[in-house]
Amino acid sequence: GAGVSQSPSNKVTEKGKDVELRCDPISGHTALYWYRQSLGQGLEFLIYFQGNSAPDKSGLPSDRFSAERTGGSVSTLTIQRTQQEDSAVYLCASSQEGTRGRPQHFGDGTRLSIL
Amino acid sequence: SQQGEEDPQALSIQEGENATMNCSYKTSINNLQWYRQNSGRGLVHLILIRSNEREKHSGRLRVTLDTSKKSSSLLITASRAADTASYFCATELGSGAGSYQLTFGKGTKLSVIP
C-alpha cells in the first residue's frame, strides 16, 4: 500500500522567501507529525495533529512556522521569511491514531536549502 | 536536551559480526522505539518495547530495556551490508503534556563492511 508521501523532495530557495511543504499521510491514519532533522542530528518535533483536536504546536521554533491539516488528511507546513538556519530535512510521519505505543510511519522528507 | 542519547555515535563492523547500540534517557517513559534511517530516506520503525517489558526479539534484532538504569540496547546479530544505516531510539513519555510525542536521540551510524 501507499506510504507517507512528501513533496517536493528537494527545495532550494532564497533567504526571505516563503516555502510550503506538503505531506500526504497513509490513508486512515488520524495522527500526523512534522519533524525537522538537521545534518547529522536527531529529529526535532515540530507539530502534531490528531483528528479534529487542536494541534500540538509546542515544537514550532518561531512564529514564522505554521502548519495546517485540511479535511483530516493532507498537511502543509509553511515557513515564512526563510532564514539560513531553516535549512534541514523536514520529515512527516503518520500513525493510526494518537494513542501511546503506535509506531510512526515516515515519508522520505523534503530537503530544504536556504541560500 | 534530547531525551534519548545513543552511543556509540558511529560503529563500523565486518559483515557477520554482531552490532550493539545503546540508548539512555532521562525521564519516565511509556515505551521506547528503535528506528532505522537509510541515507536520504525517512525513518523505518523496527521494534517497540513497553516500560513493563525487559526484552523483545524480532528476527535478527534483540532489544532490552532497563528502566532502573533508564537505558536500552539494540543488538543486531549476524550483520549484513544492508544493515548499514543510522539507528535512532525514540522515547514516548509516560504521562503529561506531549505524551504522544516521540523524542529522538541523535542516532548511531552503523557501517557494515562486506
Side-chain angles (χ1 to χ4, degrees), chain B residues 15-96:
Chain B
E15 200 166 31
E17 293 181 337
N18 296 341
T20 300
M21 288 158 270
N22 302 296
C23 170
S24 60
Y25 58 92
K26 295 182 176 138
T27 62
S28 174
I29 62 170
N30 176 275
N31 64 79
L32 184 145
Q33 304 178 31
W34 286 91
Y35 287 79
R36 183 186 75 219
Q37 184 179 35
N38 288 86
S39 182
R41 305 298 299 273
L43 279 71
V44 174
H45 180 262
L46 295 177
I47 197 164
L48 179 152
I49 187 165
R50 300 187 188 280
S51 60
N52 61 353
E53 297 176 310
R54 292 297 166 258
E55 187 170 313
K56 275 188 97 166
H57 297 254
S58 177
R60 294 184 295 113
L61 305 181
R62 173 181 168 240
V63 168
T64 62
L65 179 65
D66 186 336
T67 53
S68 67
K69 294 181 180 177
K70 292 187 169 60
S71 68
S72 173
S73 68
L74 170 67
L75 168 67
I76 304 174
T77 60
S79 64
R80 305 167 182 168
D83 295 330
T84 295
S86 291
Y87 292 82
F88 294 89
C89 71
T91 52
E92 189 174 298
L93 297 181
S95 63

